[in-house]
Amino acid sequence: MTRILALAAALAAAALLGATDGSAVQSQNVKLVGTVGPGFFITLQDAQGNRVRNLEPGTYDIEVKDQSEEHSFHLIGADVDRSTPVGAAITESWTVTLTNGTYRYFCDPHSTTMRGSFTVGATPTTPPPTSTPPPVTAKTKLVLTSGPGFVITLKTAKGNAVKTMKRGTYTMAVRDRGRIHNAHVVAPGVNRKTSPLTYTGSQTWKVKLSRAGTLRFLCDPHARGGMKGSAKIVS
């Protein structure tokens, strides 16, 4: 009888130890929280509410709170590409394994403004600053593209982003590629735009920049969501 009781006690202890070990395995993943919306806001935080900037390689549990139907939470990096759907407010739980490198998170429709990133493993050495490109001149043909997604850009014909411009009269190819968008340019003495909801196509504008200041380009219906940019006008 004593042997039976001793064996039962040993089995009970082993079962308790196994249950304890299993709980430890289940709870060992670090918890993170990804939030997007309800406004134009997106972030990834740790359990204490701190923004995630660098993590150790490993497996993480992420609670994703997508709080707006117009947004999504998209996480992408080495071996990871997961997102919530646009058109639904939803909360999901993801388990992801992160390796050395840089990971990005963003809202798909508003990726130019609603975005963030973090590194995993050793923080990479900061590259030396690149030299500032010289301002473009009026001899440079410009291309303004709005859509078809939620992106608007002003580039040279060679595909370089325009950041600084000299005064002069520019030839600007305007590509309005989305019926829900438009292309709008505003500068000192300049205010030209295509019509949203009624026009898609290409136009060529002559844009005269006679004074120093700022040239702004935007999509009127979606400028608050990030469809906008600017270039400095210098003498």
Side-chain angles (χ1 to χ4, degrees):
M1 187 69 176
T2 303
R3 286 185 178 181
I4 294 175
L5 292 175
L7 179 59
L11 291 174
L16 179 61
L17 179 60
T20 302
D21 290 345
S23 298
V25 170
Q26 293 175 1
S27 62
Q28 69 182 357
N29 293 342
V30 175
K31 309 292 184 182
L32 305 175
V33 179
T35 305
V36 60
F40 288 86
F41 167 83
I42 189 168
T43 188
L44 181 66
Q45 299 175 316
D46 60 22
Q48 288 71 47
N50 302 309
R51 179 182 172 185
V52 173
R53 300 183 185 275
N54 180 260
L55 297 171
E56 293 296 323
T59 300
Y60 292 81
D61 292 332
I62 305 178
E63 181 182 11
V64 182
K65 300 177 180 179
D66 184 341
Q67 302 182 125
S68 175
E69 294 182 356
E70 65 179 313
H71 300 316
S72 71
F73 189 97
H74 194 163
L75 176 65
I76 191 167
D79 300 320
V80 175
D81 187 353
R82 299 197 62 171
S83 63
T84 59
V86 178
I90 190 172
T91 297
E92 296 184 350
S93 296
W94 300 346
T95 298
V96 297
T97 299
L98 308 178
T99 58
N100 291 330
T102 299
Y103 288 77
R104 298 183 298 113
Y105 56 92
F106 51 90
C107 165
D108 288 296
H110 310 105
S111 59
T112 56
T113 54
M114 295 178 64
R115 59 187 177 183
S117 65
F118 60 93
T119 57
V120 176
T123 304
T125 303
T126 303
T130 57
S131 58
T132 303
V136 299
T137 67
K139 295 180 180 180
T140 306
K141 183 178 180 180
L142 305 180
V143 180
L144 176 65
T145 305
S146 180
F150 288 82
V151 178
I152 188 169
T153 60
L154 179 64
K155 298 182 179 181
T156 67
K158 294 182 178 180
N160 300 316
V162 176
K163 298 298 183 183
T164 310
M165 313 168 66
K166 288 191 174 183
R167 291 184 298 173
T169 301
Y170 289 80
T171 300
M172 183 180 295
V174 180
R175 301 172 180 173
D176 186 339
R177 293 180 168 175
R179 190 169 293 276
I180 62 174
H181 303 311
N182 79 330
H184 191 174
V185 172
V186 181
V190 177
N191 191 343
R192 296 199 63 173
K193 61 183 177 181
T194 60
S195 300
L197 307 180
T198 60
Y199 175 83
T200 58
S202 299
Q203 300 180 12
T204 300
W205 295 348
K206 291 291 185 180
V207 177
K208 185 178 181 180
L209 306 178
S210 56
R211 302 197 303 271
T214 301
L215 179 142
R216 297 185 299 114
F217 52 95
L218 62 145
C219 164
D220 290 305
H222 305 104
R224 292 183 62 186
M227 286 189 69
K228 60 183 177 181
S230 65
K232 187 177 181 180
I233 306 169
V234 297
S235 299

